[in-house]
Amino acid sequence: MPDQTMKPPTKYGVVLFPGFQALDVFGPLDVLNNMSRMTPLEFVTLAATRDPVSTKVDAPGRIGQSVVPTHTFDECPPDLEVLLVPGGLGARDDAITAPIVEFLKRIFPNLRYLLTVCTGSAIVAQSGLLDGKRATSNKMSWEWVVSQGPAVNWVRRARWVVDGNIWTSSGVSAGIDLMFAFIADQYGEERAKRLADIAEYVRNPSASDDPFA
């Protein structure tokens, strides 16, 4: 249940890195885009530099799309409340994830909530922020993810997992279910239902119902 003494968050951000999974980012963000029609929100895209960040990995025949960050990690607004960390093939490159890990260590104490999608939980696990906590991730990358955080209580059969102020989801499309669940928790079930109807999206309402586990 949300803290009734605090208003729901309105300041959101997402981490971008080369090789991020498009739906990990744009699925949850489309939900937020629609919600901003009902509740004013602020949103930032964060990366190591302000150069365009592509979903593409270097391989023959691969296509991808690029996003221009609004802020570098060093420029992150101090009042950011919710941070989303996606996964993707780039999450397996230590040179790419190293600045993200350092950023997470620095910013987490000031966040109200940290959300991850897919192998984004592996990046967070590398920071130590998941040690001793329950978390989940992409089932097709399960063994690799678990190896990134041996002190994490990994939950295989889960569409998403909540432990304190950290929410982690299973692979790719599970991030959409996580975002709807987060909105239901923070803004109410009716708001989440309305947003799902707008998107003509059939939600998975159960955190433990994971057909891919």
Side-chain angles (χ1 to χ4, degrees), residues 1 8 31-32 38 51 53 57 70 72 78 87 89 91 99 117 123 138 144 158 160 164 169 173 178-179 193 198:
M1 295 295 292
V31 179
L32 291 178
M38 308 169 187
D51 295 332
V53 183
V57 295
T70 59
T72 67
L89 291 177
V117 181
I123 300 175
N138 186 307
W144 174 78
W160 70 88
S169 84
S173 64
L178 176 144
M179 185 55 75
K193 184 179 184 303
I198 289 173

Side-chain angles (χ1 to χ4, degrees), residues 87-144:
L89 291 177
R92 294 175 179 260
D93 187 330
D94 291 343
I96 289 175
T97 61
I100 304 173
V101 168
E102 292 308 311
F103 170 63
L104 290 171
K105 291 177 181 178
R106 185 174 75 249
I107 194 67
F108 181 72
N110 298 323
L111 293 175
R112 288 178 63 184
Y113 298 98
L114 178 62
L115 316 181
T116 77
V117 181
C118 195
T119 53
S121 57
I123 300 175
V124 178
Q126 292 170 12
S127 74
L129 295 174
L130 289 179
D131 286 358
K133 294 184 177 294
R134 299 171 68 252
T136 195
S137 193
N138 186 307
K139 302 315 182 297
M140 292 190 70
S141 299
W142 188 255
E143 287 74 18
W144 174 78

Side-chain angles (χ1 to χ4, degrees), residues 42-56:
E42 297 179 29
F43 179 75
V44 295
T45 51
L46 298 146
T49 73
R50 287 205 183 202
D51 295 332
V53 183
S54 178
T55 61
K56 186 173 65 173

